[in-house]
Amino acid sequence: MNPIHVFKFGGASVKSADAIRNLATIVKRYSTKNLVIVVSAMAKTTNALEEVLMHWMNGDFTALEKKLNEIEQFHISAAVELVDGNKNHVLIAELQTLFTQLKNQFSQVPSKGYDYHYDQVVSFGELLSTRIVSHYLNYIGIANSLIDARRCLRSDTSYREGVIDETTSSYLCQREFDFTSANIFLTQGFIAGTEVGTTTTLGREGSDYTAAILANLLDAQDVTIWKDVAGVLSADPKIFSNAVKLDFVSYQEAIELAYCGAQIIHPKTIKPLQNKKIPLYVKSFVEPDAPGSTIAHSDTPVKLPPVLVLKRNQVLITLTPRDFSFVIEDCLSKIFALLYKHRVKVNMVHNSAISFTVCVDDDKLRLSQALEDMKTDFVVRYNSHLELLTIRHYTPEVIENLVGNRVVYLQQRTRSTSRFVMDRQ
Ligand code: ASP
Ligand code: MG
């Protein structure tokens, strides 16, 4: 069989009818190859659906309806434009069916918990976008089959953070992506299905992970993530003006960067690729001929300039055992068990004899529950609205420039990496 290439198009690459036309020109060039195309929700639809969910949970039906209408108008008008104004095209009817399914949920009381309902609502972003892209490609003669990701990626019931069962998913993927019957398949990023067919999601920005796991399960030759930037950059150009493109990044470096909070790719993306040595290309959908960046295996260390990652909305929590016991193994394991139980993401830790400090994302809901739980055994103090700056391959000058006159709450330095928890600027 010819090699399989996996493409991932994120929200920005499908943000409008024009963007979807651009996507189609890219796909057209590769249309004789075996392709699996993973698509995210259009533009900021995921955020918009999160708002809808919030309104439902709060019982604010006026706000809910307003937001839903916006989402509906946005999708329908892009779709109508793509099929040359033909409101009778089957695509429009299919989108309307999806909107009816979405809305039907809101006539009930959200009684099954936030995470469960999150997945049932927010997954519609990808269900809608893939319907539009798939129909449009077919409409302009790029024949493709739309696969429902919930039928090929089997997850457990950890809503909002579905864990993929690779063995079952591998079997399902071989069955669904049948390259003897077609050569271009399109599917949703970010979503999966449980054994009984309930929808789960894989964590925000999880479409990269979908692309990687599909590449792994289908033994693809490579994965290309098409983005609105030139490739992997040494910093976020919106924050640091002298960002440069990195031509080559090893898997190891990429996983470190993603863990520190770099927005290049979802942190879970690298492992499935590294396990099968599948290279990942990050390319610009604006300049598809430009070389982009390659993330792949490297036997020797690759020299990189200083790479900056800024994570905002951080909270620094300090825990002191109420009974004044040392922060040693049993105490640490108790703290980590609590953090794990509440799914609080740990970004940096530090301990002294009788205190433990941890820097975490400010996920309000999870954090407030975790803090409550911690108060049983610990005196809890915390600072919020902080930033965590990571500088990989630092130089003294870069540290001086970025940290010199800032208030630093916590810092750590290894030979390759410096990290600073600071007040926001
Ligand atoms: N649409 C989802 C999100 O915005 C998944 C993704 O874009 O990768 O988080
Ligand atoms: Mg997105």
Side-chain angles (χ1 to χ4, degrees), residues 288-304:
D289 290 325
S293 303
T294 301
I295 300 175
H297 173 75
S298 164
D299 284 321
T300 50
V302 182
K303 181 126 186 57
L304 287 175

Side-chain angles (χ1 to χ4, degrees), residues 8 10-11 40-41 43 46-47 126 189-190 203-208:
K8 180 258 170 170
S40 300
T46 305
N47 294 356
E126 274 68 13
F190 181 54
R204 284 301 308 262
E205 308 303 327
S207 300
D208 292 348

Side-chain angles (χ1 to χ4, degrees), residues 218-251:
L218 295 167
D219 282 308
Q221 178 161 304
D222 47 41
V223 175
T224 307
I225 297 185
W226 298 92
K227 288 181 82 88
D228 54 358
V229 288
V232 179
L233 304 179
S234 65
D236 180 344
K238 287 188 227 104
I239 309 175
F240 303 104
S241 55
N242 39 9
V244 292
K245 180 170 78 72
L246 308 175
D247 298 333
F248 183 90
V249 177
S250 67
Y251 289 129

